[in-house]
Amino acid sequence: MKNNDRHMALPTDLTLPEGIVPVDDLLRADPSDGRPIVLITAGESETALEIPAGADLTLIEFFEKNADARTEISLGPDARFHHIRIITDGADTTCRITQADGSTLSLSTLVLGGNSQNSFEIDCHQGTHTSLYGLALPQGDETVGNHIRLY
């Protein structure tokens, strides 16, 4: 992800669990106490997350109305990652996840309102486990597009 306009959309009052260190636009994750990381995204943003081998991490991403967000995640071998995405009306998101051997991914997406387009690309390697869950709640003429590619 090489884009000079990207930024980390971390709330200023966020307390990161021990072992989570922000480095520019990259969070290196190795939490010892199991608390989730919460990202609140507004406007245009790109976020990258690297999860080391054997780590167990929960990430909750909340995309504010009309956000245009790209998230790139890399899971190390035997890592366990619980990813919860809450997308509000008009937000367009792209999420790319690469799973190393033996990693486990649980991806849950809740779309509140409509008129959003969401793209998911998941690169699954040998011995990975991937679970996908989703719920969209558009109203009236609103539309939601969720496009998922597993390879």
Side-chain angles (χ1 to χ4, degrees), residues 44-90:
E44 186 174 340
S45 71
E46 290 190 25
T47 301
L49 177 64
E50 180 180 305
I51 302 171
D56 190 348
L57 177 70
T58 299
L59 172 67
I60 302 169
E61 281 186 291
F62 179 81
F63 300 93
E64 292 184 352
K65 184 174 183 153
N66 299 321
D68 182 9
R70 288 160 301 287
T71 305
E72 191 166 319
I73 299 165
S74 176
L75 285 98
D78 300 314
R80 291 165 306 285
F81 182 54
H82 313 279
H83 192 189
I84 301 164
R85 297 169 54 87
I86 303 168
I87 302 168
T88 58
D89 181 40

Side-chain angles (χ1 to χ4, degrees), residues 3-133:
N3 180 338
N4 294 332
D5 296 331
R6 70 184 186 176
H7 66 278
M8 180 64 71
L10 290 173
T12 56
D13 62 347
L14 177 66
T15 301
L16 296 174
E18 183 178 332
I20 303 294
V21 181
V23 180
D24 296 322
D25 291 335
L26 177 67
L27 288 177
R28 294 194 185 276
D30 190 13
S32 58
D33 62 6
R35 289 184 291 166
I37 294 175
V38 178
L39 294 178
I40 300 174
T41 302
E44 186 174 340
S45 71
E46 290 190 25
T47 301
L49 177 64
E50 180 180 305
I51 302 171
D56 190 348
L57 177 70
T58 299
L59 172 67
I60 302 169
E61 281 186 291
F62 179 81
F63 300 93
E64 292 184 352
K65 184 174 183 153
N66 299 321
D68 182 9
R70 288 160 301 287
T71 305
E72 191 166 319
I73 299 165
S74 176
L75 285 98
D78 300 314
R80 291 165 306 285
F81 182 54
H82 313 279
H83 192 189
I84 301 164
R85 297 169 54 87
I86 303 168
I87 302 168
T88 58
D89 181 40
D92 293 328
T93 70
T94 299
C95 181
R96 291 184 182 93
I97 301 174
T98 302
Q99 289 186 256
D101 296 351
S103 65
T104 300
L105 168 66
S106 174
L107 175 62
S108 301
T109 302
L110 174 60
V111 182
L112 304 173
N115 301 320
S116 68
Q117 295 294 315
N118 306 292
S119 173
F120 303 89
E121 291 184 15
I122 303 171
D123 184 359
C124 309
H125 287 255
Q126 179 177 340
T128 61
H129 179 77
T130 305
S131 299
L132 305 174
Y133 307 94

